[in-house]
Amino acid sequence: MSSGLFITFEGGDGSGKTTQAELLGAWLGEAGRSVVRTREPGGTEVGVEVREIVLHHRGDIAPRAEALLYAADRAHHIATVVRPALARGEVVIQDRYIDSSVAYQGAGRVLDPEAVRGLSEWATEGLLPDLTILLDLDAASARTRLDGARTRYDRLEAEASEFHDRVRSAYLALASAEPERFLVVDAAAPVDEIAAEIRARVARLV
Ligand code: TYD
């Protein structure tokens, strides 16, 4: 048993996860907690290399190979960064985790979601977050935000809006299947309001 706390942020590209993860990390840090901010893919040196392949490889990657690459990144990240931090009693705040694979590789690429989940469970020896914050935003608004922030799209961002609609629906289904693990927030709300909603929920856990 670890005394740490594992919080993940999920949502479509352009939903504002990173901003909210940073705000939450700063708040917990000010409250005296030791916080580790990390992400998938790319939370380790090995992961940075995997990230480069999955996001920027120029040719096609078979959907199952893509799922395995994300799972490989995750296995190494959980074993070498996240579990040790939790064992030290720290708060781990992470951009994206298993739910990303179920939504993007399962619903987006149309692989069997249970198989995708099973792969990640094997990769992580079944580590689940204490809390998952889903920043929910419709695909069209997310695209408008990304257009303002990007000079080029990665392989997943470049997918058609139907892909991103499927990802969003899958996330909402995951959240309603596990309401005690998820907090769903409207990502179109002002940044400060979202941050306050998240802090209120996290305050109940720390
Ligand atoms: P992210 O780091 O959030 O992108 P950025 O930093 O560019 O905002 O995520 C990278 C992409 O990887 C994102 O489009 C979602 C995708 N992804 C998956 O498809 N499956 C996964 O398991 C994970 C973790 C991410």
Side-chain angles (χ1 to χ4, degrees):
M1 282 290 284
S2 71
S3 51
L5 192 64
F6 186 24
I7 300 174
T8 58
F9 280 80
E10 295 284 357
D13 299 278
S15 60
K17 290 182 294 2
T18 307
T19 303
Q20 291 298 334
E22 276 165 11
L23 289 171
L24 178 64
W27 180 70
L28 286 168
E30 282 160 24
R33 293 295 301 237
S34 182
V35 175
V36 174
R37 275 273 294 116
T38 189
R39 68 168 178 181
E40 291 183 3
T44 61
E45 277 182 31
V46 171
V48 168
E49 296 189 38
V50 176
R51 181 180 172 95
E52 187 57 30
I53 300 171
V54 281
L55 298 189
H56 303 301
H57 176 71
R58 285 168 194 277
D60 285 343
I61 299 178
R64 283 167 194 249
E66 184 181 275
L68 286 161
L69 285 164
Y70 281 112
D73 166 75
R74 181 161 299 137
H76 188 64
H77 182 229
I78 293 304
T80 64
V81 175
V82 176
R83 281 197 188 269
L86 294 174
R88 292 191 300 267
E90 297 175 354
V91 181
V92 176
I93 299 180
Q94 179 168 320
D95 277 27
R96 300 194 179 281
Y97 190 46
I98 294 178
D99 302 302
S100 278
S101 284
V102 177
Y104 281 79
Q105 280 64 57
R109 297 291 185 220
V110 201
L111 294 173
D112 172 8
E114 286 312 314
V116 172
R117 182 200 306 280
L119 190 62
S120 275
E121 284 177 355
W122 180 80
T124 64
E125 299 180 83
L127 181 70
L128 276 181
D130 298 293
L131 173 66
T132 297
I133 295 152
L134 172 59
L135 291 166
D136 178 51
L137 191 64
D138 67 89
S141 308
R143 175 61 40 163
T144 308
R145 285 191 190 183
L146 277 185
D147 285 344
R150 290 281 192 277
T151 50
R152 67 168 183 161
Y153 289 122
D154 68 39
R155 287 180 56 254
L156 285 292
E157 288 166 352
E159 285 294 333
S161 64
E162 298 74 39
F163 176 98
H164 293 285
D165 288 338
R166 288 199 299 278
V167 168
R168 182 192 189 198
S169 305
Y171 269 136
L172 291 172
L174 286 168
S176 56
E178 277 183 86
E180 63 300 328
R181 173 162 72 89
F182 274 89
L183 170 68
V184 183
V185 296
D186 175 7
V191 171
D192 293 352
E193 257 176 50
I194 297 173
E197 201 178 334
I198 293 171
R199 286 196 300 269
R201 175 68 181 257
V202 171
R204 287 170 21 208
L205 295 175
V206 292

